[in-house]
Amino acid sequence: MHRLIEQIFIKHFDNNWLRQANDQAMFASANGRMVISTDAHVITPLFFPGGDIGSLAVHGTLNDVAMAGAKPLYLSAAFILEAGLPIADLERIVISMAAAAKLAGTPIITGDTKVVERGKGDGVYITTTGIGVVPDGVNIAADLAKPGDAVIISGSIGDHGIAVMASRENLQFGTSIVSDSAALHELVAVMLAAAPGQIHCLRDPTRGGVAAVLNELAQQSAIGIQLIETAIPIKPEVSAACELLGLDPLYVANEGKLLCICQAAAVENLLKAMRAHPLGRDAMQIGTVQADPYHLVQMQTGFGGRRIVDVPVGELLPRIC
Amino acid sequence: MHRLIEQIFIKHFDNNWLRQANDQAMFASANGRMVISTDAHVITPLFFPGGDIGSLAVHGTLNDVAMAGAKPLYLSAAFILEAGLPIADLERIVISMAAAAKLAGTPIITGDTKVVERGKGDGVYITTTGIGVVPDGVNIAADLAKPGDAVIISGSIGDHGIAVMASRENLQFGTSIVSDSAALHELVAVMLAAAPGQIHCLRDPTRGGVAAVLNELAQQSAIGIQLIETAIPIKPEVSAACELLGLDPLYVANEGKLLCICQAAAVENLLKAMRAHPLGRDAMQIGTVQADPYHLVQMQTGFGGRRIVDVPVGELLPRIC
């Protein structure tokens, strides 16, 4: 059984590092600054429209690496399998994970597997860790937003959260909503080339959505943010689903979108470059950064009012990633 | 609740990287070759004589990094918490983890936390990833053992497995047996200095014990191994417990021991250096490497006979690490 599982990993993740079968993998160090990021993935259900826990575990961690402006190089993966998980399901997940890693150009070079008893897990949990290198001259961090900066989003919000919720609850929305799960590092590379030295913050709005991330950035940079509701891209079917479910899309998770805070002078070039990339086709400026001693995120609503976009209280939807 | 958990991590793991509160941590790249290793820790019980899942999660991954001859630099940690885990237990684990990381000189620079429902986890699972740098001139891998080499163990075997089993089953062995869980990278550094270029393989005999590791090395290096039973260090109380439980100590897990395959000419210097280190005090040569087309691990028993030490069938004790 253990050997069977090992073989599935080696077969699909196949690369020189794994074939060496050491308890660790060796790689040539890059020059300069490197980044590391790790994420445990516990999403339920394991398979959802637009992805599964395998592809998500690759995208989620790659995106955290990419949000430092880094080029991801390698991944590691640790699996916690619940006894009774059908081998066919595991293999389907591993195949999807291998495909996502290959497409991203980031091999899974080391890993681990543990099996726990039934009722001590939920099919499979996957923790991935990503290593990347930050190009010279790139300085992106959560505390670098400045008054006067612009806030950009790379595309429509809420797709992942609503897709997972719909599949979890067996909801039928007429049109099928699909997760946006995708690796964003190539979009980031395009953005860095289009606006060198002008991007201050990058963050992917996953758990807690756009609202959580913008509040964190406002706190860490000690600034305020003004959003314009009508500028925020959202698909009609996602908007309708949110209305039906009583959800605010600003709090719904995304897995293939990024928020960018940049110099106002960079917006035109950036949006042009982003919209030329498949993952940035619907990029929009959605707000601006302002001096604000209270570090609030506020939104000018479609009706002309203004409301505070507060920090999410608790988790809207547990196990969304 | 989420904030409470975050605060526990930040308070105890406190370092400049975590304080930046980005979704990834940046570090200066080392020159040359780096290694990465990852391990999911699912041990039960969470607390056992000589350690807990927190210290184990640090030691287990550091040791996998060290077994490449590397100096560990940084750790990441991802927690999967089961709802209902007492916060006091989590804090106790985090404190122990922080102490282990501090003692080892390897800060936990990034991390993640997910919470799953009751019955979908078992208190806490911790996946750690370690990054290290391999000194110039060090070439250690599982396929480098050669006929004529010596096999060394750094100390007594079976302590971790028996300590955990005893605590799990509430067994009373008269004398208390304590896990050997420890970080081995400083011992490795001492060994590399004592026998430069002469160490071919290093492996920590965790799951599956000495038997599993030596069989893997025999396969990967395409050699045979001859062990001498009477040379293998084992504490009397561990030996007695194994007899009582019907266990072969060669298959029992260790968390603070290493197996070393080295040139025969290096043995004297190596043992001297190892025995001068607290974690190598009981180091012994326990066997030799031989040409063997069948890649067998054999043992000359205390009674003068010879037996094959086979690959373990299945896991002797699930969730031991």
Side-chain angles (χ1 to χ4, degrees), chain A residues 228-260:
Chain A
I228 298 157
E229 187 171 29
T230 52
I232 300 173
I234 179 163
K235 291 184 179 136
E237 58 269 35
V238 172
S239 182
C242 283
E243 232 167 276
L244 196 70
L245 297 165
L247 298 175
D248 183 339
L250 285 175
Y251 294 84
V252 176
N254 311 274
E255 287 291 344
K257 298 293 162 13
L258 60 79
L259 284 160
C260 166

Side-chain angles (χ1 to χ4, degrees), chain A residues 185-209:
Chain A
H185 59 293
E186 287 173 6
L187 176 62
V188 169
V190 162
M191 292 169 67
L192 291 171
Q198 297 176 298
I199 296 175
H200 296 154
C201 313
L202 289 173
R203 222 16 121 77
D204 54 336
T206 55
R207 267 194 291 184

Side-chain angles (χ1 to χ4, degrees), chain A residues 2-3 19-42 44 63-68 74-80 82 109-117 119-122 125-132 134 138 140-143 203-204 206-207 216 220 311-312 315 318-319 321, chain B residues 2-3 19-42 44 63-68 74-80 82 109-117 119-122 125-132 134 138 140-143 203-204 206-207 216 220 311-312 315 318-319 321:
Chain A
H2 186 244
R3 211 163 293 175
R19 244 174 278 130
Q20 286 162 21
N22 289 310
D23 281 342
Q24 75 294 118
M26 200 174 294
F27 58 95
S29 89
N31 284 324
R33 297 165 300 159
M34 301 188 78
V35 290
I36 180 169
S37 187
T38 199
D39 260 339
H41 296 87
V42 300
T44 180
N63 289 347
D64 281 343
V65 168
M67 294 308 121
Y74 306 104
L75 289 170
S76 74
F79 294 78
I80 298 174
E82 185 192 14
I109 63 173
T110 192
D112 184 42
T113 312
K114 295 282 155 58
V115 178
V116 296
E117 308 91 307
K120 303 291 183 185
D122 196 10
Y125 299 143
I126 308 177
T127 297
T128 45
T129 302
I131 298 284
V134 185
V138 171
I140 291 169
D143 57 356
R203 222 16 121 77
D204 54 336
T206 55
R207 267 194 291 184
E216 282 170 36
Q220 291 183 250
V311 180
E315 239 177 309
R319 301 187 56 191
C321 58
Chain B
H2 186 244
R3 212 164 292 175
R19 243 175 280 130
Q20 284 161 24
N22 289 309
D23 281 342
Q24 75 295 116
M26 199 174 295
F27 58 96
S29 88
N31 283 326
R33 296 166 301 159
M34 300 189 79
V35 290
I36 179 170
S37 186
T38 198
D39 259 339
H41 296 86
V42 300
T44 180
N63 289 347
D64 281 343
V65 168
M67 294 308 122
Y74 306 104
L75 289 169
S76 73
F79 294 78
I80 298 175
E82 185 192 13
I109 63 173
T110 191
D112 184 43
T113 311
K114 296 282 154 61
V115 177
V116 297
E117 308 90 309
K120 302 293 184 183
D122 196 10
Y125 298 143
I126 308 177
T127 297
T128 45
T129 302
I131 298 284
V134 185
V138 171
I140 290 169
D143 58 355
R203 214 31 113 75
D204 54 336
T206 54
R207 266 195 293 185
E216 281 172 34
Q220 290 183 250
V311 179
E315 241 177 307
R319 302 190 54 192
C321 58

Side-chain angles (χ1 to χ4, degrees), chain B residues 2-16:
Chain B
H2 186 244
R3 212 164 292 175
L4 178 64
I5 291 171
E6 291 293 300
Q7 277 165 0
I8 288 176
F9 292 129
I10 288 168
K11 177 176 162 198
H12 297 293
F13 293 160
D14 186 48
N15 61 51
N16 285 331

